[in-house]
Amino acid sequence: MIFALDEELDKLNIDEENGLDPLEDVSSIESDFSNFPQEQLQQQQQQQQYIQPLTSDHLNISSSINSMRNRRRSSVLDKFSILSPMHTRRVSVHHHNNEDLVKPELKRPEGVSEESAIDDDDEEGIVTDTNSKKISDFKPIRVLGKGAYGKVILVKDQESSKLYAMKTLKKAEILINESNVINLNIERTFAERTILSQLEHPNIVKLFYSFHDQNKLYLILQYVPGGELFYHLKEYGTLSEDIVSYYAAEISCALKFLHDKGIVYRDLKPENCLLNERGHLILTDFGLSKKAVDENDPNNEGGDSNEESIYTLHSIIGTPEYCAPEILQGLPYNKNCDWYSLGCLLFDMLIGKPPYTGNNHKIILNKIQKDKQGPKIPFYLSEGMKDMLNWLLKKDKTKRWDVDKYWKEEKVTTNGNGNKGKPKKAGKQRELKFQSHFIFRKINWELMESGDLQRTEMGPIVPMITDWELAENFDEEFTSMSYEDDYAIDIPKSNNNNNNSNLDGTITGSNGTDDIFKGFSFKASRSYLERHF
Ligand SMILES: Nc1ncnc2c1ncn2[C@@H]1O[C@H](COP(=O)(O)OP(=O)(O)OP(=O)(O)O)[C@@H](O)[C@H]1O
C-alpha cells in the first residue's frame, strides 16, 4: 500500500492529548559547537575510544511509546490526488478496468546491460541470465520480513551451507498495477539490483547474486541477523543520546558514500536500518534509491531527458513521516533530502516518534507548514542534540545543513595567515563541519570511515543471537509466516505450448513483457565473495 500510514500513529501524540508539552521550540538554537576544545575532545576520544556496549542505563525504556510503535511500510510511489504541482510525475489514483488498461511500452531501465558484475577482473564476475544461481540452490529456513512485492526469506546455500537473506519480488505484482506505474516499478526493481551490485560499504547491505525465474525475481543478500532497528526501538522505546549519535555517524557514513556516487537513498526509516551481529547498522532496501545524472559531469552529454539530475529529482517517493518537505510538496529536490530524513530518524530514536505524524502525506505537510518555527524538540535533550536536529530538520532546503559539502575538516586546517581554520556560520548556511559536531565527540571517524571500527569493535546494541537460523531478532509476525508461496520452485512450461517461458525463466512472447527482466541476473566477483565470507 502506498503511503498508507497507520492511523495508530496519530495516537502517538500522547503529549498533546494529555495536555502535556515536554517539547520546546528550539528553532532559535543555532549554537556553534565549533568552539568545543579540540584537545579535550581528542583526549576524551582516546580514553573512551568508542561508545561502550549497551547497559540498561543507556536505554530510556518508554513502554507507553514502544507499545504504540507501528510499522510504516511500504514506502513506494505516492499517488498524489490532490497535490499535483509542477515537475511532479503524476501517478493516477483511480483503478482501471482491464479493458481500459492501456499497456505501456515496457522497457528495461537505461544503463542495465544483460550482463553485469562488481568487477570485471575475474571471469566469475560476469554472468548471463542462464548461468547464475537458481532458486533450488537455496534451502528456505524462515521468513524475515515482507515488502510490497514479496517476502524476504532466510535461506541456506545447499552447497556451502552459508546463510543469506533472499528477497523475492513477484513479477505479477510488479506488472499488474496501474498502467502508468508499471515502468516505475520495473525501474525500482532494477535500481535496487543495479545500485547494490555496484556498492561495497561496511554499513550497506551486500548483494551476492540475483536471478529470476518464470514468476519471481530474487536478490540474494547478506543476512543481517540483528534485525531491524525498528524491532529494537519497539522493544526499548527510545535510545540514549550516545547510542543515537553512534548510529547517526554510521548512517551518515553510508549516506555520504552513496551521495559521492551520485545516489540518493530516499527511504531512510527504522525499518530499513538493520543491525549486524556486531551491533553495527546496515542500510537495506534500495528499491527507492536513485542514481541520477550529475549535471557537472563533463562526460554527461545530456542523455535521456527522462533521467533526473542528482541536483533536481522530482519523483514523489519515500515514507511521508521521514520525507523532506520539498518532496511532499512535489518540488524539485536533491541529495539534501536524505539529511532531513536523518533528522527525522534521530528524532524518532530519541523521542519515540518522527517529528510529524499523520494518516497521509497531506496531514504531515500541513503540520510542517503550520510549524513556522520548525518541529518542537523536547527540553530534556542536550543542547548539542537540539542543535543537530535543528540544522537537519530545516524545512527550507537552502538553509538546511549541507552535510555533503561540510562533511569533515580537511587535513590542512591553516589559512593563509597561518591561523587555525575556524568553522564559521556565514549567512544562513551552516559551515561547521558535520564530523566536528559536539554530538560526535566520541566517534573515531577515521576508523569508522575506513570500516576498521565496524570490523574490530562492537556497536552500542549487540543483538542476542544464540543460533543464526532462529532469526530471534525478527518480529514473530514475519518469522511465523509461511514461505511456500514465495519459495515455490517454478517449473518452466515448455516452449512449444505458446506459454512464453524459456528454460532460464525469462519470459518471451506476445504478452508485452518480452525480455523485460532479462539482464536482472548477477553474480558478485569471486574476490568480492571471498572478501565477505
Ligand atoms: N539482508 C537482510 N537481512 C535480514 N533481514 C532483511 C534483509 N533485507 C531485508 N530484511 C527484512 O525484510 C524486510 C523487508 O525488506 P525490504 O525493506 O528490502 O523489502 P521491500 O519490499 O523493499 O519493503 P517495502 O515495501 O517496505 O519498501 C526488512 O524490513 C527486514 O526486516
Side-chain angles (χ1 to χ4, degrees), residues 173-368:
E173 299 278 320
I174 294 168
L175 296 172
I176 301 171
N177 211 321
E178 285 160 33
S179 58
N180 46 1
V181 185
I182 296 178
N183 274 331
L184 291 173
N185 285 346
I186 295 170
E187 196 180 305
R188 180 185 178 207
T189 308
F190 271 94
E192 180 156 33
R193 118 86 172 77
T194 305
I195 289 173
L196 280 178
S197 67
Q198 293 164 354
L199 301 178
E200 189 173 357
H201 187 275
N203 299 107
I204 292 178
V205 74
K206 289 169 186 54
L207 174 69
F208 297 114
Y209 309 97
S210 64
F211 51 89
H212 62 122
D213 57 23
Q214 196 178 338
N215 297 318
K216 288 182 248 39
L217 301 156
Y218 305 90
L219 294 169
I220 303 294
L221 301 158
Q222 161 197 11
Y223 169 42
V224 189
E228 297 172 1
L229 180 61
F230 178 87
Y231 174 85
H232 298 278
L233 282 173
K234 216 168 121 181
E235 198 169 331
Y236 299 127
T238 56
L239 301 175
S240 73
E241 290 198 12
D242 271 358
I243 296 178
V244 171
S245 304
Y246 191 94
Y247 289 148
E250 289 202 314
I251 298 168
S252 306
C253 285
L255 291 179
K256 178 69 168 66
F257 172 83
L258 292 172
H259 293 173
D260 286 349
K261 294 202 168 307
I263 296 162
V264 188
Y265 180 59
R266 304 201 286 193
D267 201 14
L268 194 59
K269 58 178 173 178
E271 291 88 332
N272 287 341
C273 297
L274 305 175
L275 292 186
N276 72 9
E277 64 283 10
R278 306 180 66 83
H280 294 288
L281 205 141
I282 307 286
L283 276 191
T284 189
D285 193 359
F286 280 67
L288 298 192
S289 302
K290 177 85 181 176
K291 181 155 176 128
V293 178
D294 184 344
E295 280 166 352
N296 294 335
D297 181 356
N299 299 323
N300 166 30
E301 288 159 11
D304 185 345
S305 58
N306 288 329
E307 295 259 32
E308 290 174 300
S309 147
I310 182 115
Y311 299 105
T312 49
L313 292 162
H314 305 294
S315 317
I316 296 168
I317 208 161
T319 305
E321 287 147 309
Y322 299 87
C323 252
E326 60 271 21
I327 300 184
L328 293 173
Q329 283 174 283
L331 296 171
Y333 59 93
N334 58 26
K335 55 190 172 180
N336 199 279
C337 66
D338 282 339
W339 299 117
Y340 181 92
S341 302
L342 176 66
C344 294
L345 181 61
L346 302 191
F347 193 108
D348 190 357
M349 287 192 262
L350 292 159
I351 290 142
K353 61 176 183 129
Y356 301 103
T357 58
N359 288 340
N360 60 51
H361 74 276
K362 231 187 130 239
I363 294 176
I364 293 171
L365 187 57
N366 279 342
K367 285 184 181 174
I368 295 175

Side-chain angles (χ1 to χ4, degrees), residues 252 255-256 259 336 338-340 342 388 391-392 400-408 429-430 432-435 440 445:
S252 306
L255 291 179
K256 178 69 168 66
H259 293 173
N336 199 279
D338 282 339
W339 299 117
Y340 181 92
L342 176 66
M388 172 59 72
W391 279 102
L392 293 177
R400 196 176 302 146
W401 202 349
D402 188 348
V403 177
D404 291 292
K405 189 168 167 197
Y406 299 106
W407 175 241
K408 65 174 161 190
Q429 260 286 354
R430 171 160 253 207
L432 172 69
K433 299 293 188 283
F434 187 72
Q435 293 191 355
F440 298 129
W445 284 100

Side-chain angles (χ1 to χ4, degrees), residues 6 18 24 68 89-91 114 141 169 193 242 270 330 376 392 396 406 423 480 504 512:
D6 301 297
N18 296 340
E24 69 170 319
M68 283 195 238
R89 234 182 234 169
R90 282 161 197 247
V91 184
E114 292 183 18
I141 297 174
L169 301 117
R193 118 86 172 77
D242 271 358
K376 289 188 171 145
L392 293 177
D396 178 348
Y406 299 106
S480 60
D504 67 350

Side-chain angles (χ1 to χ4, degrees), residues 41-42 44-51 245-246 249-250 253 280 435 439-454 456-457:
L41 275 183
Q42 278 160 6
Q44 265 189 18
Q45 262 173 7
Q46 279 158 8
Q47 281 166 1
Q48 190 182 351
Q49 230 183 350
Y50 315 112
I51 293 169
S245 304
Y246 191 94
E250 289 202 314
C253 285
H280 294 288
Q435 293 191 355
I439 70 158
F440 298 129
R441 64 196 178 281
K442 296 177 189 169
I443 305 293
N444 186 328
W445 284 100
E446 221 173 292
L447 280 188
M448 191 178 270
E449 279 194 285
S450 70
D452 286 343
L453 190 144
Q454 293 87 327
T456 55
E457 299 286 326

